Amino acid sequence: MNKRADFLIIGAGIVGLTIGRELKLRFPRQSVLVLEKERAPGLHSSGRNSGVLHSGIYYPPGSLKAQVCRQGAIEMAAYHEEHGLPLRRLGKILVAGNEFDAPQLDLLADRARQHGIPIETLDAAQLAELEPETRSVNGRALLVPSTSVGSPGAVMQTLLEEVRKLGLELALDSSIVAVDTKNGTATTDKGDVIGFGHAINTAGLHADSVAHLFGAGKRYTLLPFKGLYWKLDPAAGFKINRLIYPVPDLRVPFLGIHTTTTTDGTTYLGPTAVPAFGRENYHGLEGVSLPELSRITGLLVRQFSAGRDGFRRLAMQEGRRYFKKWFAEAASAILPRLRPEHLLPTDKVGIRAQMLDTETGKLVNDFLVESGERSTHVLNAISPAWTSSFPFARHVCDNFIERN
C-alpha cells in the first residue's frame, strides 16, 4: 500500500476515530486514512474502559479535562440515545472511606459548583436510604445524578460505521516504523510508504514511541498501570443502586477501587492501579519483553526512590491489591460487609496509557497534546478520554491541526 492521505491518523481508538470524524465533517473533500496495528479498532483502552460517562467533578479548574469532560458526557450520552445504544443513567455516590479523605468532599463539591455540575450533599440518613450497602466515615456523601454508564463496544462499532460512510479509510494490521517529516512520508512494518500532509498520533499505549519517530514528545515516556477487576457475586445479595466511588487521592491520577454496574447489570469492583510490565501486559507474562521490562522497572525504581506525588504510598497500597484478600479489604472501605468470598474472578482488565514527564519526574495528570513537524501528538489520553472524546476532538482540530 503506497499511497497518500491529506490526514494520516495513527491509532483507531476512540480518540483517533472521533478526530477522524471531525476532520471529515470539516474537510469532506480531503482524505483521511487511519492506520491501526491491530486486527480491529478499539482492542485496547477504548474497548476496555468502564463505560462510565464521567461528570468532570474531579478535575481542577483550568485543566483541559475540566474544559471538555462535562460537555463530553452530555454528547456521549446523546450519541448513545441517537443511535439506540445501551445507556443507564444511574448516578454516582462519592463517599469518604477514611478520615484523611473526608475533607476532599468539600473540595469536590466546590469544583462541581465551578464546573456547573449538579450535585446533592447527603447526610448519613439520606445516604443509608439511597445506598444501604455503603458508608462514609463522616456520614456525608455527594450524589452526582448526571453520571451514566454506556457501552464502549457499541460506540466503537457505531462510530466506525459512521466515519466509513463519511469517507474515512481504515487500514488494519499496520504499524508505523519510520517517519520522514521533511518529505512527509511514513513507512509501515509491511514496507508500505504513505505520504501525508499532516499526521495525527493517537496511538494510546504507543503514543510516546510514535511521537519519538517524529522527533516530538521526547520528554515523555509511558509508565503503564494495570487495572484489575473482580465481579460481585449476585448470590451475595448486595443491593447497589448507583455507582459508588471513594473520594480519590487527587495527588495521583487514579480514582480508587469503586463499583461499576454495566449496561447488562453486572457489577464490577476495581480497578487497581498496579504496575504493568509491558505496554500490553494484560495477563501473566503476556506482552512483556526484556527491553520494556527493563525500562519500566527502572522508571518504577526511580519514582519510588524520589517519592513524588505520594508514589511510594501508592506503590505499597496498590501492590497488595494484586491479592484477593487485600483487594477485598480495600473495597470494604465503600462496601463494609464485603468479604473475599463475595468476589468472582473476571477477565476484565485494562492498561492505563499513563505518561511520565522525565524532566520533572511527575505523572502527567491532564490530557496532553503536542505539535510536531507536520504532525500533532495526543500523548496522554487517559480517563476521561472516552467520555470527553467528541469535544476533545474539536479541541485538537481547533488548537493544533488547523493551526499547524
Side-chain angles (χ1 to χ4, degrees):
M1 179 180 62
N2 296 313
K3 61 186 309 177
R4 192 181 192 286
D6 295 306
F7 297 103
L8 172 65
I9 298 176
I10 304 163
I14 188 70
V15 175
L17 290 187
T18 50
I19 290 176
R21 173 182 182 268
E22 188 65 26
L23 288 172
K24 288 303 295 184
L25 291 173
R26 295 183 184 208
F27 310 111
R29 295 185 179 179
Q30 296 200 37
S31 57
V32 178
L33 172 64
V34 180
L35 289 188
E36 170 54 50
K37 75 179 187 67
E38 302 290 359
R39 67 186 184 280
L43 296 186
H44 296 288
S45 299
S46 298
R48 293 174 175 268
N49 73 79
S50 66
V52 174
L53 279 62
H54 293 286
S55 65
I57 192 173
Y58 304 116
Y59 313 121
S63 65
L64 182 50
K65 286 183 178 182
Q67 293 174 40
V68 296
C69 185
R70 180 172 180 268
Q71 181 61 29
I74 293 170
E75 293 184 31
M76 184 59 80
Y79 194 82
H80 278 77
E81 292 179 336
E82 177 186 353
H83 295 281
L85 308 180
L87 180 72
R88 300 187 71 185
R89 295 185 179 274
L90 295 174
K92 175 192 292 185
I93 297 278
L94 283 159
V95 298
N98 57 63
E99 293 292 346
F100 176 81
D101 290 333
Q104 300 278 41
L105 285 169
D106 293 323
L107 173 62
L108 292 176
D110 184 58
R111 285 187 179 176
R113 286 188 286 269
Q114 292 182 67
H115 299 331
I117 301 166
I119 60 167
E120 298 175 27
T121 301
L122 308 176
D123 60 25
Q126 291 169 318
L127 177 61
E129 181 180 356
L130 292 178
E131 293 292 342
E133 295 286 1
T134 193
R135 69 165 181 96
S136 187
V137 293
N138 62 356
R140 297 173 56 234
L142 295 180
L143 169 62
V144 188
S146 62
T147 302
S148 303
V149 178
S151 173
V155 167
M156 287 299 296
Q157 183 60 41
T158 303
L159 184 60
L160 182 60
E161 294 171 2
E162 180 185 5
V163 296
R164 279 177 161 158
K165 288 178 182 177
L166 290 171
L168 179 145
E169 186 179 351
L170 178 67
L172 301 174
D173 295 312
S174 294
S175 299
I176 294 292
V177 296
V179 174
D180 181 345
T181 54
K182 181 179 180 180
N183 294 309
T185 61
T187 304
T188 73
D189 54 348
K190 296 178 179 178
D192 299 321
V193 178
I194 301 169
F196 61 87
H198 190 90
I200 303 99
N201 168 16
T202 57
L205 292 166
H206 300 268
D208 59 329
S209 298
V210 171
H212 298 166
L213 292 175
F214 285 82
K218 292 185 177 180
R219 66 186 284 179
Y220 302 104
T221 190
L222 183 81
L223 184 56
F225 289 86
K226 186 183 302 186
L228 302 171
Y229 291 81
W230 290 85
K231 185 162 59 175
L232 188 61
D233 186 351
F238 283 81
K239 181 173 174 54
I240 298 174
N241 303 308
R242 295 162 187 80
L243 309 179
I244 303 174
Y245 279 60
V247 174
D249 181 347
L250 297 177
R251 296 172 298 175
V252 294
F254 308 105
L255 298 182
I257 292 175
H258 52 265
T259 74
T260 300
T261 302
T262 59
T263 55
D264 67 3
T266 303
T267 297
Y268 294 94
L269 281 159
T272 60
V274 300
F277 292 100
R279 294 171 186 266
E280 299 171 21
N281 174 218
Y282 294 108
H283 303 284
L285 296 178
E286 173 191 350
V288 177
S289 67
L290 189 57
E292 277 293 281
L293 177 62
S294 177
R295 182 188 71 85
I296 293 169
T297 301
L299 292 174
L300 290 171
V301 169
R302 286 196 289 275
Q303 291 303 106
F304 190 87
S305 299
R308 296 184 184 94
D309 302 322
F311 192 86
R312 288 178 189 162
R313 187 175 72 86
L314 175 72
M316 291 186 287
Q317 166 187 288
E318 292 295 329
R320 290 158 52 95
R321 295 177 184 176
Y322 261 117
F323 304 99
K324 185 178 184 180
K325 175 184 176 182
W326 303 116
F327 182 100
E329 180 186 80
S332 68
I334 61 170
L335 296 177
R337 76 178 184 89
L338 185 78
R339 300 293 179 267
E341 56 267 27
H342 298 149
L343 300 175
L344 301 177
T346 174
D347 60 1
K348 182 177 175 63
V349 59
I351 295 181
R352 182 185 183 90
Q354 177 66 55
M355 290 298 157
L356 173 72
D357 185 333
T358 59
E359 293 187 9
T360 65
K362 293 186 176 183
L363 299 177
V364 180
N365 278 322
D366 204 358
F367 295 148
L368 176 65
V369 187
E370 185 175 299
S371 293
E373 188 175 356
R374 296 187 186 224
S375 57
T376 297
H377 302 272
V378 180
L379 288 166
N380 203 55
I382 53 176
S383 178
W386 186 73
T387 298
S388 310
S389 53
F390 290 114
F392 181 66
R394 294 195 297 272
H395 172 85
V396 172
C397 289
D398 289 341
N399 295 283
F400 294 90
I401 298 173
E402 291 203 29
R403 292 185 181 183
N404 200 303

